[in-house]
């Protein structure tokens, strides 16, 4: 592995686990997500932390950190080895068209496997995440799902009574199709 590189799939999973930890209500659940994230990046001799002031996941080589957990500037040989991933809003890696293409695939899966009613709910959720946050479905956390359910869906989706009655089930199916766990939102 080149020293300046942490695999993309590891970065994405660390980002997902950090979002889940950030949004978790239960302290034990939060600790479990952070432990899983730290174990994951540790395999590559990296450490992770959530910089809360600007909601960014910071990943950098473990060798930069002393035993007390402080980054030692003298140990930083190449600043480009460090990685920052925004956890809210958009990031350079999340262009709208790529996000829309990804989310549309999830919507198609829902349509094929679960029918038009769930697909309409999936399309509404994909539109909400893509247009408001430029985010893939599986990256949505508790705040985004709550906003969708309480604000966006009733005002902007124009759901039928049948669509409204299966929304919770649709969200479960959507996250399952995206390979992620539905965040607690109720």
């Amino acid at each position: 592995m080149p020293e300046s590189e942490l695999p993309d799939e590891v970065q994405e999973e660390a980002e997902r686990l950090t979002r889940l930890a950030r949004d978790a209500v239960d302290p034990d659940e939060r600790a479990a997500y952070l432990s899983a994230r730290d174990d994951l990046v540790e395999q590559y001799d990296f450490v992770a932390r959530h910089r809360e002031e600007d909601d960014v996941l910071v990943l950098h080589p473990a060798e930069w950190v002393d035993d007390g957990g402080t980054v030692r500037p003298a140990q930083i040989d190449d600043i480009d080895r460090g990685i920052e991933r925004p956890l809210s809003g958009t990031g350079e890696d999340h262009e709208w068209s790529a996000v829309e293409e990804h989310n549309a695939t999830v919507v198609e899966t829902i349509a094929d496997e679960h029918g038009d009613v769930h697909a309409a709910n999936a399309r509404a959720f994909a539109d909400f995440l893509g247009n408001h946050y430029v985010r893939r479905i599986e990256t949505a956390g508790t705040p985004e799902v709550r906003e969708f359910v309480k604000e966006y869906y009733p005002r902007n989706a124009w759901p039928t009574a049948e669509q409204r009655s299966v929304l919770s089930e649709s969200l479960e199916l959507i996250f399952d199709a995206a390979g992620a766990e539905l965040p607690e939102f109720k």
Side-chain angles (χ1 to χ4, degrees), residues 100 103-104 107 121-131 135 137:
E100 171 54 28
N103 290 349
V107 173
N121 284 339
R123 181 71 262 167
F125 189 59
D127 288 345
F128 166 72
L129 284 175
N131 294 332
R135 292 190 39 192
I137 287 169

Side-chain angles (χ1 to χ4, degrees), residues 144-161:
E144 293 82 18
V145 177
R146 276 192 188 136
E147 181 183 352
F148 172 75
V149 170
K150 293 181 180 189
E151 297 175 28
Y152 180 90
Y153 188 76
R155 294 181 186 152
N156 302 88
W158 299 88
T160 65

Side-chain angles (χ1 to χ4, degrees), residues 14-27 29-35 37 50 87 142:
E15 182 179 334
R16 186 184 77 81
L17 290 166
T18 303
R19 272 199 184 90
L20 290 169
R22 176 196 66 188
D23 298 340
V25 176
D26 180 339
E29 180 184 10
R30 180 177 296 116
Y33 289 132
L34 292 176
S35 177
R37 177 201 67 194
H50 177 205
L87 297 174
T142 297

